[in-house]
Amino acid sequence: MEAASSFFESRSRGWNVNSLMNFSHLNSRVQLHLRKVYTTLCLSLLVASLGVYAHMLVNLGGFLTSMAFIGCVMWLMSVPSYEEGKRWKILMGASFLEGLSIGPLIDLCNNLFPDSGLVLTAFLGTIAIFASFSGAALFAKRREYLFLGGILSSAVSAMLTLRFCSYFFGGASAMFNLELYGGLLVFVGYVLFDTQLIIERADKGDDDYIQHTLDLFMDFVSIFVRILVILTKNAGEKSRKEESRRKRSQ
């Protein structure tokens, strides 16, 4: 018993708030860069939420805003990194357009299940997943998750190939589920990979926090959309089962 108690005491001394917030393995330049990245990411998510709200008011989101978002991303990548102010505005514009683009999905979920809180649940779940895996990448050993880059790229290529094949050989439903759940795992993996890649690039002098913010923003939105679709799909299946039970009981 004494040995067990001493073990847990030593573990409790090792895990405290100070040790949790200890980023001594990252130099001051990288820490400053990460603060700028995550601050800009929070602003981007806020602007995206304004885009969702704008869609709710005037129904602007759709295919055109999705294409405009892709155009903004390409524009951002073409602007030199020293034009920071211009690139920051483009990033905020892209975030607003992405909010408009996912607005119809959120609107549909609210219309189908108005009192379920699916959107809030999906958002909080995304925050929890993103924070957990981003934190794991920050506290892990340097370059520990960079090997995921090749695996994740291969997984994306495989899913695209399977989607193309499903157009000719059928299996659209199975392909949808594979893309939904497999895509969620892939983008969770990208949170690990992108976070460590940002650290490595910042350590080597790459201080393009706007591009790095865009990478994490797209990871966050991709996870959120998939969680929301999964929750909506499950809620729909539950609703159909309850409806069939009521019909059988009548």
Side-chain angles (χ1 to χ4, degrees):
M1 291 295 292
E2 291 180 0
S5 62
S6 63
F7 170 78
F8 286 112
E9 286 176 3
S10 64
R11 296 300 291 178
S12 63
R13 286 196 300 269
W15 288 95
N16 51 45
V17 176
N18 292 330
S19 63
L20 185 62
M21 300 304 294
N22 182 14
F23 291 97
S24 59
H25 61 293
L26 304 176
N27 62 51
S28 58
R29 177 194 178 103
V30 174
Q31 292 184 38
L32 177 61
H33 180 74
L34 289 172
R35 282 197 290 270
K36 292 173 71 174
V37 168
Y38 285 108
T39 300
T40 310
L41 176 61
C42 291
L43 290 174
S44 299
L45 294 173
L46 177 60
V47 171
S49 67
L50 294 177
V52 172
Y53 182 68
H55 171 79
M56 300 297 182
L57 293 178
V58 290
N59 195 28
L60 289 174
F63 177 76
L64 292 179
T65 55
S66 298
M67 292 299 100
F69 168 74
I70 295 173
C72 275
V73 170
M74 295 176 67
W75 184 19
L76 175 62
M77 296 175 67
S78 68
V79 177
S81 59
Y82 60 81
E83 296 187 38
E84 181 179 332
K86 182 178 181 180
R87 299 178 82 243
W88 192 89
K89 292 175 184 176
I90 297 172
L91 175 63
M92 293 300 116
S95 301
F96 186 79
L97 288 168
E98 183 69 349
L100 287 174
S101 300
I102 64 176
L105 173 62
I106 294 175
D107 203 13
L108 176 63
C109 295
N110 287 332
N111 291 333
L112 291 174
F113 307 100
D115 300 321
S116 62
L118 290 180
V119 176
L120 179 60
T121 302
F123 183 70
L124 294 178
T126 304
I127 291 177
I129 291 172
F130 186 90
S132 299
F133 284 89
S134 187
L138 289 173
F139 289 107
K141 295 179 181 179
R142 294 281 296 273
R143 305 180 182 89
E144 186 173 359
Y145 295 113
L146 293 184
F147 75 93
L148 290 173
I151 297 174
L152 295 171
S153 298
S154 299
V156 171
S157 300
M159 285 192 292
L160 290 174
T161 302
L162 289 173
R163 176 192 285 184
F164 180 77
C165 292
S166 68
Y167 292 142
F168 297 97
F169 303 106
S173 177
M175 190 60 230
F176 174 77
N177 288 327
L178 176 62
E179 288 187 348
L180 189 59
Y181 294 97
L184 177 59
L185 292 176
V186 165
F187 283 105
V188 167
Y190 267 118
V191 172
L192 288 169
F193 172 74
D194 286 337
T195 302
Q196 285 213 324
L197 189 61
I198 288 169
I199 293 172
E200 291 305 312
R201 287 176 173 173
D203 188 59
K204 290 177 172 57
D206 182 359
D207 57 356
D208 187 2
Y209 71 95
I210 294 176
Q211 177 62 53
H212 298 164
T213 299
L214 178 63
D215 294 338
L216 294 180
F217 174 79
M218 295 177 72
D219 293 341
F220 188 98
V221 172
S222 298
I223 293 171
F224 169 74
V225 167
R226 282 160 177 79
I227 291 178
L228 183 57
V229 172
I230 290 171
L231 291 176
T232 305
K233 180 173 175 287
N234 292 340
E237 292 175 353
K238 182 179 178 181
S239 178
R240 286 192 294 272
K241 289 179 181 178
E242 291 176 352
E243 183 66 24
S244 63
R245 288 196 199 99
R246 281 196 296 267
K247 289 181 179 180
R248 286 196 299 268
S249 62
Q250 290 176 354

